[in-house]
Amino acid sequence: MSHEKTHRESESKKTTITDEELAEVMAHEKDELERTWAHPRGVVGWLSKTDHKVIAMRYIVTAFVFFVLGGIEAALMRIQLARPDNHFLTPDQYNQIFTVHGTTMMFLFAVPIMTAMGIYLVPLMIGARDVAYPRVNAYGYFVYLIGGILLYAGLMTNTGPDAGWFAYVPLAGPAYSPGKRVDIWAQMITFTELSGLVGAVVIIGTVFKMRAPGMSVNRIPLFVWAQLVTAFMIIFAMPSVMLASSFLASDRLIDTHFFNPAEGGDSILYQHLFWFFGHPEVYIIFIPALGFISPIIIAFSRRRIFGHLVLVLSLISTAFIGFGLWVHHMFATPIPQMGQSFFSAASMVIAIPSGVQIFCWIATLWGGKLNIKTPLLFVLGFFAIFVLGGLTGLMLASVPLDLQVHDTFFVVAHLHYVLIGGSVFPLFGAFYYWFPKWTGRMLSERAGRWNFWLMFIGFNLVFFPMHQLGLNGMPRRVYTYLPETGWGTLNLIASIGAFVLASGVLVFMINAFWARRAGAVAGDNPWAAHSLEWSIPSPPPNYNFHNMPVVQGQYPLWQATEDAPVVRGLSTSKREALVTSVMDAEPELRFEIPGPSIWPFAVSLATAVMFIAGIFTPWAFLVGAILAGAALVAWFFGDPNYENKSARETGERSQSVSPPRELQPKEV
Amino acid sequence: MSTRTIIDVSELPHHEFDTYDPVWWGNNLLLAIETSMFAILVATYFYLRQNFTLWPPPVAQLTATLRPLPQLTYGTANTILLLLSLIPIVMTDLSARRDNRRVSQIGLVIAIICGFTALVLRSFEFSAVYFRWDSNAYGSIVWFILGMHMLHLAVLTTEAIVLAIWIFTREYDMKHRVDIVTLAIYWYWVVGIWLVLYAVVYFTPRLG
């Protein structure tokens, strides 16, 4: 404390500092900063950690485990379908496996891993020491983990959901799905959506209030824009599916009649509620992936992006139009023709912002001196696969064609082209791109190429034949087919492709395990990239940035001047972060970020009591709510060092101290 | 070696009201989530109404009316009470901004009493609906709307109690004054959204 004060006093007299003086002061402060931001130890400490990097890495690893589990389920299905009249799986096992496969990939892999990338990278890209609400963030992770374990506990005990990943009523209703299988699905939805909503609030709060001085709205990186737009979509879409799953659970548990036509309920209502979430969900998965692509293209074409503003506007318009498409999943239900026309048109319109973005990226790549490394390969693979998926999307947007191929493998092919092409390929590119930042080591480039080509060839082998199978009339979700249908050969090709694809993922896993120990040491900025996360050591220290960076342009590292200003005056003995204004990122507050706490974990356990016991008795909600309330009260009261006590705690805001001249952008 | 300008932030405050504070944003984002939840509930209400020729549906028993509209007594009393509860909450809100501990304490206590009374009145509102949650889809959605709002009333009142305990027994500092102002925003929202739900549940059926 005392030497901190003397530093402050000596600095407060000065308005400038030379690089030597700065280095000396920083060396002085480093130990105390490390102590202040140190992680707690022991089991309780492990459960109490709140560092956004730790939480995000838990999310990423957990989601990747679920990705592998979902992939194993896919492989089981492909073995079953490899030849006609196969009896590798029973029909009941097949139902559980395709349901759990879809549920896992959508709710336990795709959405959480995209949020997790944001939770890891957004604070680093905007120059913050942590997210705005680190404890809430930790709560989100535990809730997600419990939801995932619940689903797999169900599958392992032969109680896996079996009504499809969207659990349509009446099949999923009490009359046709007795037992607890669908209840497990419904509560798993509640858990994961809760976690998704929490993550969205964390990201928006962080982007709005924690940006480094100088990062006004026009300088927010495209990755951060993508995360922000996604978070807003989550806020408006996910309540819908939480209601759908709550209505379903209450129809099954306490005999409400939301979906029971005999008492005035409506099964089409379920489809509306589900798809009002479900279609934006596709964009919730896809838009963060667009956010990976821009920085990768900038780094490997070595130039500014073409059409920064247009790219941002495309993201935003995609998000808006994304809420006007949901009925195109329901063209086979009695929807008025006027409605069909509207949603058909909207489904075609959304191709425009997607196309605009792809042209902007091509324009960026066009004149650049390309450095074709694995991340860029995955982005190029994305172009090929996603454009194909987009084209079949336009086909499905037209009502007559949709009716013809509804519930066939054509739809399966389309959705995998869009989701794997649109999200998983950019995600793997992002793994290769940011792995050095996470671990301090490079993934092998040679293995990366094997990884890419195995995945690319394998993917097309699995899913391209499915277009033809769908046109030939093979329906989704049948556990086998007869030899006379003539679907055997294409199915066999698809099954072989599945194993090629899986071997690509295996290469990645081996590469990651190997690189963590033996990969080349990366250094701070192995790609000579432009954004703030590359200005700090790899892996980053717990406090991320020693001095809050000052941003001087859209490409902070490329545009930084020799005499860039430096932010001083945050405490080194408390977990202080800088809070800035929403539009111009002017410094406003020294905000003490909440530190490690066990209470988020305790609240997540109470939540688990509420929803898991709620499968069996409605009283669980009362008990769980009381437990959660008690834990929240303890959270509120149980923090000994909750506040910086200082004489400056007067509520008066001091004058703005940022000199505007230094914040002006400099041409690259 | 170059010389850099220092942007000195050591004089900045730790807390400030409204858009300055991350807590304000977190609270309002949660309210945005809940607003979209209630919007979808109201949409569901009208969607289900399409399936009924009479809404609410007629009651089978001879003693009941053909149009069992929800009785207005408790709902209206509750609406008036919630509107009146704005007085102590505005008092609390303004006093927290002006650093007046005594007024904040009085305001919060009155508000908590209002919150409890509203919860009691709400439990009578359910019986004013004529149907149980498991009678038909009308009963299900009306109970769900009333129940979700009741949940918010309960959370709101609990939060007020916790904050009141804090400012009676511990510091009345900037951090908790920001919390009080944030609680007030939540309170305004709970009252405001109720006015919409009140109109939907009690009056749209009366419009025919």
Side-chain angles (χ1 to χ4, degrees):
Chain A
M1 268 312 277
S2 57
H3 83 244
E4 184 205 349
K5 254 188 195 147
T6 52
H7 274 302
R8 274 204 188 148
E9 277 158 15
S10 64
E11 272 178 32
S12 65
K13 291 168 198 149
K14 299 163 61 170
T15 52
T16 58
I17 191 166
T18 64
D19 281 355
E20 293 105 330
E21 287 170 322
L22 185 64
E24 191 189 330
V25 181
M26 283 170 64
H28 237 86
E29 293 171 339
K30 195 157 185 288
D31 284 347
E32 189 170 46
L33 208 50
E34 304 243 310
R35 269 201 305 282
T36 305
W37 290 83
H39 291 313
R41 289 164 189 280
V43 178
V44 176
W46 194 89
L47 294 170
S48 309
K49 285 185 190 177
T50 50
D51 184 340
H52 73 100
K53 301 180 289 298
V54 173
I55 302 295
M57 205 37 78
R58 286 179 189 172
Y59 261 117
I60 290 172
V61 171
T62 313
F64 198 84
V65 169
F66 284 123
F67 175 67
V68 171
L69 290 173
I72 291 171
E73 285 142 19
L76 293 175
M77 286 190 281
R78 280 323 313 172
I79 295 172
Q80 166 65 20
L81 294 177
R83 59 191 178 88
D85 211 9
N86 199 353
H87 292 283
F88 175 70
L89 296 172
T90 65
D92 180 59
Q93 284 171 337
Y94 190 84
N95 287 350
Q96 289 185 59
I97 284 175
F98 78 67
T99 302
V100 174
H101 165 76
T103 306
T104 302
M105 289 307 199
M106 295 300 277
F107 298 107
L108 300 177
F109 163 65
V111 176
I113 206 160
M114 293 299 171
T115 314
M117 297 293 279
I119 290 170
Y120 198 108
L121 292 167
V122 163
L124 298 183
M125 283 196 185
I126 63 172
R129 281 188 168 169
D130 205 329
V131 289
Y133 322 110
R135 290 185 181 174
V136 176
N137 193 26
Y139 168 74
Y141 171 74
F142 289 122
V143 166
Y144 154 67
L145 179 65
I146 294 170
I149 291 172
L150 172 67
L151 180 70
Y152 276 84
L155 184 65
M156 294 306 150
T157 53
N158 196 28
T159 325
D162 56 355
W165 77 273
F166 34 71
Y168 274 176
V169 291
L171 177 61
Y176 298 96
S177 287
K180 294 297 175 193
R181 289 180 169 183
V182 174
D183 299 281
I184 286 185
W185 182 87
Q187 300 304 8
M188 185 279 318
I189 292 291
T190 313
F191 279 111
T192 51
E193 305 311 281
L194 189 57
S195 149
L197 285 163
V198 161
V201 170
V202 167
I203 291 207
I204 297 175
T206 308
V207 175
F208 275 12
K209 293 307 290 176
M210 311 290 283
R211 302 200 307 279
M215 188 178 278
S216 45
V217 170
N218 57 328
R219 294 177 185 169
I220 295 179
L222 287 164
F223 175 93
V224 178
W225 269 114
Q227 287 285 335
L228 186 66
V229 168
T230 308
F232 272 104
M233 292 190 78
I234 288 176
I235 280 189
F236 294 110
M238 285 200 180
S240 186
V241 75
M242 281 188 80
L243 281 179
S245 72
S246 305
F247 289 166
L248 178 61
S250 73
D251 269 16
R252 296 174 56 86
L253 185 68
I254 55 170
D255 303 319
T256 54
H257 299 290
F258 291 105
F259 306 129
N260 175 13
E263 292 292 349
D266 201 312
S267 51
I268 299 296
L269 171 65
Y270 181 87
Q271 298 195 17
H272 279 297
L273 290 174
F274 188 88
W275 289 116
F276 184 75
F277 145 83
H279 199 85
E281 162 97 337
V282 175
Y283 292 93
I284 288 167
I285 295 168
F286 171 57
I287 289 180
L290 301 179
F292 304 150
I293 292 170
S294 294
I296 291 176
I297 285 190
I298 295 170
F300 294 98
S301 64
R302 314 288 320 132
R303 62 194 296 232
R304 301 172 80 136
I305 196 107
F306 180 87
H308 178 93
L309 182 64
V310 177
L311 284 165
V312 173
L313 293 177
S314 299
L315 289 176
I316 296 171
S317 54
T318 305
F320 273 103
I321 304 170
F323 277 93
L325 308 184
W326 83 92
V327 172
H328 76 208
H329 295 268
M330 300 164 59
F331 281 155
T333 64
I335 297 290
Q337 200 166 11
M338 188 63 196
Q340 290 187 345
S341 311
F342 172 81
F343 285 98
S344 180
S347 308
M348 294 183 184
V349 165
I350 201 152
I352 295 172
S354 304
V356 165
Q357 292 179 77
I358 289 180
F359 282 122
C360 282
W361 288 322
I362 292 175
T364 311
L365 291 168
W366 200 267
K369 195 166 188 317
L370 297 191
N371 177 15
I372 299 187
K373 291 273 166 54
T374 311
L376 190 62
L377 271 182
F378 274 102
V379 168
L380 298 177
F382 153 85
F383 285 148
I385 297 173
F386 180 73
V387 168
L388 268 173
L391 287 176
T392 52
L394 285 176
M395 292 164 73
L396 287 170
S398 90
V399 178
L401 194 139
D402 181 83
L403 280 177
Q404 184 63 32
V405 296
H406 183 80
D407 263 349
T408 68
F409 264 76
F410 190 85
V411 176
V412 179
H414 161 71
L415 74 93
H416 284 92
Y417 264 82
V418 176
L419 289 173
I420 297 187
S423 294
V424 176
F425 272 74
L427 181 70
F428 272 77
F431 284 158
Y432 278 85
Y433 184 65
W434 280 294
F435 189 89
K437 183 50 63 188
W438 297 338
T439 62
R441 295 188 183 261
M442 309 290 288
L443 285 166
S444 153
E445 194 55 36
R446 178 204 283 266
R449 277 158 207 273
W450 274 98
N451 178 1
F452 170 76
W453 285 111
L454 283 171
M455 274 180 71
F456 187 79
I457 294 167
F459 171 83
N460 283 297
L461 271 181
V462 197
F463 294 106
F464 199 82
M466 288 187 190
H467 292 111
Q468 187 61 37
L469 281 170
L471 294 175
N472 291 355
M474 180 169 171
R476 301 166 78 169
R477 297 175 172 165
V478 289
Y479 85 107
T480 193
Y481 49 90
L482 294 174
E484 297 83 65
T485 55
W487 301 334
T489 317
L490 288 174
N491 268 303
L492 184 62
I493 295 173
S495 296
I496 293 168
F499 284 89
V500 180
L501 178 58
S503 62
V505 177
L506 191 67
V507 169
F508 170 76
M509 289 162 68
I510 295 168
N511 195 358
F513 276 112
W514 169 84
R516 274 207 65 182
R517 292 173 194 289
V521 174
D524 294 0
N525 191 357
W527 314 116
H530 71 280
S531 46
L532 286 175
E533 78 271 27
W534 302 107
S535 67
I536 55 174
S538 316
N542 294 344
Y543 46 84
N544 294 352
F545 296 87
H546 189 134
N547 296 314
M548 295 300 104
V550 174
V551 175
Q552 295 170 298
Q554 266 174 11
Y555 302 85
L557 301 193
W558 293 356
Q559 287 170 298
T561 53
E562 281 279 292
D563 61 345
V566 54
V567 176
R568 302 286 304 159
L570 286 184
S571 171
T572 47
S573 59
K574 299 187 178 88
R575 294 186 174 220
E576 270 188 1
L578 193 61
V579 166
T580 55
S581 64
V582 177
M583 297 304 286
D584 296 328
E586 301 262 8
E588 286 183 341
L589 305 173
R590 286 177 299 138
F591 187 73
E592 190 180 0
I593 290 206
S597 165
I598 191 67
W599 294 111
F601 178 66
V603 178
S604 73
L605 287 185
T607 314
V609 169
M610 184 152 48
F611 292 124
I612 296 178
I615 292 173
F616 302 97
T617 162
W619 293 107
F621 290 93
L622 191 62
V623 175
I626 292 170
L627 287 176
L632 282 166
V633 170
W635 182 338
F636 181 76
F637 280 102
D639 192 359
N641 305 316
Y642 75 94
E643 183 59 325
N644 259 320
K645 288 289 167 208
S646 85
R648 300 192 190 90
E649 183 73 3
T650 56
E652 287 170 25
R653 202 163 46 257
S654 58
Q655 298 298 312
S656 167
V657 282
S658 54
R661 187 182 55 81
E662 283 81 355
L663 304 183
Q664 296 303 316
K666 188 172 154 275
E667 287 302 307
V668 172
Chain B
M1 285 293 172
S2 56
T3 308
R4 297 168 185 269
T5 318
I6 292 177
I7 298 179
D8 183 10
V9 296
S10 61
E11 297 295 324
L12 291 178
H14 291 304
H15 294 283
E16 187 56 76
F17 298 110
D18 301 334
T19 58
Y20 289 93
D21 206 289
V23 172
W24 187 89
W25 285 97
N27 180 63
N28 284 11
L29 289 167
L30 292 172
L31 296 184
I33 292 171
E34 293 304 289
T35 308
S36 43
M37 190 271 294
F38 276 116
I40 296 163
L41 270 184
V42 169
T44 303
Y45 178 90
F46 288 110
Y47 190 94
L48 288 171
R49 184 176 176 164
Q50 299 175 330
N51 291 348
F52 290 76
T53 40
L54 284 173
W55 179 263
V59 177
Q61 289 88 339
L62 286 171
T63 49
T65 56
L66 198 63
R67 293 294 306 280
L69 294 161
Q71 289 170 357
L72 287 172
T73 330
Y74 294 114
T76 309
N78 213 352
T79 310
I80 294 168
L81 173 73
L82 285 173
L83 286 172
L84 287 175
S85 76
L86 291 176
I87 298 170
I89 277 299
V90 170
M91 241 168 74
T92 314
D93 186 349
L94 295 179
S95 62
R97 290 169 191 273
R98 291 169 191 164
D99 200 8
N100 188 336
R101 182 175 197 157
R102 183 53 61 194
V103 179
S104 292
Q105 288 171 339
I106 296 168
L108 265 185
V109 170
I110 301 174
I112 290 166
I113 295 169
C114 292
F116 266 114
T117 320
L119 281 167
V120 173
L121 284 174
R122 174 58 47 81
S123 55
F124 289 114
E125 280 185 61
F126 287 103
S127 57
V129 177
Y130 277 104
F131 294 103
R132 277 161 43 111
W133 69 90
D134 57 357
S135 312
N136 51 40
Y138 170 80
S140 304
I141 184 64
V142 171
W143 275 66
F144 209 95
I145 291 175
L146 294 177
M148 286 310 287
H149 191 262
M150 189 178 187
L151 180 66
H152 274 288
L153 276 176
V155 172
L156 181 67
T157 310
T158 315
E159 202 179 316
I161 293 170
V162 170
L163 265 177
I165 293 174
W166 188 283
I167 63 167
F168 271 101
T169 61
R170 299 198 187 183
E171 304 89 336
Y172 185 65
D173 52 12
M174 213 26 215
K175 181 184 171 80
H176 292 87
R177 283 162 58 204
V178 169
D179 285 353
I180 289 173
V181 169
T182 310
L183 172 80
I185 295 169
Y186 185 21
W187 201 292
Y188 303 146
W189 178 86
V190 168
V191 175
I193 206 104
W194 171 249
L195 296 180
V196 177
L197 300 177
Y198 174 63
V200 168
V201 169
Y202 290 93
F203 289 100
T204 60
R206 290 185 155 77
L207 293 174

